[in-house]
């Protein structure tokens, strides 16, 4: 837009100047305001949700049992399979909860989430062969298990972040779902002895995809 | 864009003859100037005070709410009034916006800028209002709500000559009609940049889109408003 056009637009009269000059209506009465958590209370709620999510993972792991080759599996590969989803989940959670200005929220969240997914995939590539490759059908029990492991953290996460996203709620809710799926993938590495790349990516990573989609679908409740 | 510039210059000259309150007019000869935005661009000190009040409120200091309402209220009300087109609706939505700000206070990150965050919430409130209206009557397309209010309540008044007053009001009315004809997304972008003085990046944050999309929306909105003004000046001779 050229300079004269800019000047012209800057000189446009405000059609609501007079209405805006009137005094503001009275603010909502303090007694009428519903209870609202302070920042500290929200922090405590989110921490409690995180601890509850970890407990949920532990409970399911106790029910299903640890992988049979836990003692024999290569330590480095096993650690990578546990830690890389946690790093991915941490990045996705950071993308979901960060408030800042200066960039498009969906683009920024998508960037961080893509990085998280890449780290998970890289972990799967490096750790490939750490367990038995198995056949394609062995993917489906793991898909179901990762969905089950991700469901609890997702419910807790959505509760802890309810009404918290002023802008970019769909992208942020999806990132929150990805983070919950990543936690499930990390837990699953302690339960499943499958080690093929496809198995790790599809069977263990399905929770991240499903969590992202579920977060997206439920994003209305997360919007401030 | 020489053609557009030429066209703009042409109508600007016509506008200056018709409406003394525009840029091309000689201010000395035309003391009547249509009022600019009621909420001027606040300075860094105002932003700092707002951020401090929001930070205290997020930590639970109830007294900070009145400070927030006093300082943030005019900006949110201006945004809501210009996007909805109705002062009464804007006042209702303002109350709803502050209720949501209150509920979401604990989620506000320390050190984050308050104005884009609060404008995002006000925008959500307005979008929800549009959605509710559409649910009540799906046949009604989202539009300005300017039928149930007297235009005299919205348009700027001046203390000058009655003819100048009429001219200033006519100009403001054309702008209002042009805003009303815009798609909601373009109207929001234009209002945030032109009247709320946000940067393109801040507007992108509020609208949940990219800076490029915001620039494009503002450009299209500006074109539509410019065309409306040019058309009117041609009709007026």
């Amino acid at each position: 837009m050229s300079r004269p056009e800019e000047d012209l637009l800057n000189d446009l009269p405000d059609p609501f100047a007079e209405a805006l000059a009137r005094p503001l209506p009275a603010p909502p009465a303090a007694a009428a305001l519903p209870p609202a958590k302070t920042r500290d209370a929200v922090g405590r709620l989110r921490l409690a949700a995180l601890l509850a999510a970890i407990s949920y993972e532990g409970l399911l792991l106790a029910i299903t049992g640890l992988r049979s080759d836990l003692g024999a599996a290569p330590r480095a590969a096993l650690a990578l399979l546990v830690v890389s989803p946690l790093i991915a989940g941490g990045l996705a959670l950071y993308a979901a909860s960060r408030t800042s200005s200066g960039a498009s929220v969906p683009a920024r969240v998508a960037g961080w989430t893509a990085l998280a997914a890449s780290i998970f995939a890289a972990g799967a590539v490096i750790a490939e062969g750490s367990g038995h490759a198995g056949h394609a059908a062995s993917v489906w029990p793991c898909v179901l298990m990762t969905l089950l492991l991700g469901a609890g953290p997702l419910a807790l996460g959505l509760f802890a972040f309810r009404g918290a996203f002023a802008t970019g709620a769909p992208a942020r809710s999806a990132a929150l779902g990805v983070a919950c799926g990543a936690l499930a993938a990390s837990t699953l590495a302690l339960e499943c002895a499958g080690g093929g790349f496809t198995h790790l990516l599809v069977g263990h990573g399905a929770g991240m995809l499903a969590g992202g989609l579920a977060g997206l679908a439920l994003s209305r409740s997360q919007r401030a | 864009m020489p053609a557009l510039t030429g066209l703009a210059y042409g109508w600007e000259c016509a506008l200056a003859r018709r409406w003394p309150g525009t840029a091309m007019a000689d201010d000395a000869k035309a003391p009547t100037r249509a009022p600019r935005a009621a909420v001027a661009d606040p300075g860094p000190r105002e932003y700092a005070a707002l951020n401090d009040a929001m930070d205290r409120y997020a930590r639970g200091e109830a007294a900070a709410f009145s400070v927030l309402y006093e300082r943030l209220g005019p900006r949110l009300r201006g945004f809501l009034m210009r996007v909805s087109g109705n002062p009464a609706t804007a006042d209702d939505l303002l109350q709803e916006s502050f209720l949501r700000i209150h509920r979401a206070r604990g989620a506000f990150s320390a050190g984050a800028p308050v104005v884009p965050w609060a404008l995002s919430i006000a925008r959500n409130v307005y979008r929800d209002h549009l959605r509710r209206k559409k649910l009540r009557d799906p046949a009604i397309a989202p539009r300005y709500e300017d039928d149930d209010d007297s235009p005299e309540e919205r348009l700027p008044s001046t203390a000058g000559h009655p003819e100048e007053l009429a001219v200033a009001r006519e100009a403001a009315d054309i702008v209002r009609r042009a805003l009303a004809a815009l798609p909601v997304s373009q109207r929001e972008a234009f209002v945030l940049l032109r009247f709320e003085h946000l940067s393109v990046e801040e507007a992108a944050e509020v609208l949940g889109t990219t800076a490029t999309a915001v620039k494009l929306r503002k450009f299209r909105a500006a074109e539509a408003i410019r065309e409306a003004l040019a058309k009117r000046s041609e009709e007026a001779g």
Side-chain angles (χ1 to χ4, degrees), chain A residues 1-2 4-29 32-40 42-43 46 97-108 162-168 172 220 223-224, chain B residues 1 4-5 8 11-12 21-23 33-38 55 58 60 69 74 77-78 81-82 85 87 95 99-100 102 104-110 113 117 120-121 124 128 131 153-155 157 172 176 190 194 201 205-206 208-210 218-219 222 226 229:
Chain A
M1 190 170 289
S2 66
E5 286 172 314
E6 280 288 352
D7 291 344
L8 192 70
L9 289 172
N10 288 338
D11 207 51
L12 281 178
D14 183 357
F16 297 97
E18 189 161 310
L20 287 169
R22 289 188 304 214
L24 279 176
L33 292 174
K37 290 183 176 59
T38 62
R39 187 181 291 146
D40 287 346
V42 167
R46 289 180 185 172
S97 57
R98 186 173 169 225
T99 307
S100 70
S101 62
S104 158
V105 175
R108 194 182 60 217
R162 192 178 40 164
F165 303 141
T167 182
R172 285 178 166 162
R220 280 291 295 279
R223 215 179 54 171
Chain B
M1 241 176 323
L4 284 178
T5 309
W11 81 258
E12 195 175 353
T22 54
R33 197 173 180 84
R36 286 170 179 245
D55 197 48
Y69 190 83
R77 186 199 205 190
M81 203 175 284
R82 293 179 187 112
Q95 301 282 318
L99 271 178
R100 289 204 199 178
H102 167 70
R105 67 176 176 171
F108 179 76
S109 301
W117 181 79
S120 302
I121 292 179
N124 291 342
D128 286 347
R131 201 171 289 120
E153 285 188 26
R154 295 184 302 260
L155 302 183
S157 66
R176 183 184 63 78
F190 187 80
R194 164 62 186 87
E201 288 76 21
E205 173 92 7
V206 171
T209 186
T210 61
K218 186 210 172 186
F219 176 78
R226 194 177 57 73
L229 285 164

Side-chain angles (χ1 to χ4, degrees), chain B residues 176-188:
Chain B
R176 183 184 63 78
R177 285 177 198 279
L179 278 175
L182 292 174
V184 178
S185 59
Q186 288 180 23
R187 195 188 310 149
E188 286 172 338

Side-chain angles (χ1 to χ4, degrees), chain B residues 152-177:
Chain B
E152 282 68 32
E153 285 188 26
R154 295 184 302 260
L155 302 183
S157 66
T158 61
H161 194 272
E163 190 185 344
E164 291 174 350
L165 172 66
V167 165
R169 283 194 161 167
E170 190 181 356
D173 194 43
I174 291 168
V175 174
R176 183 184 63 78
R177 285 177 198 279

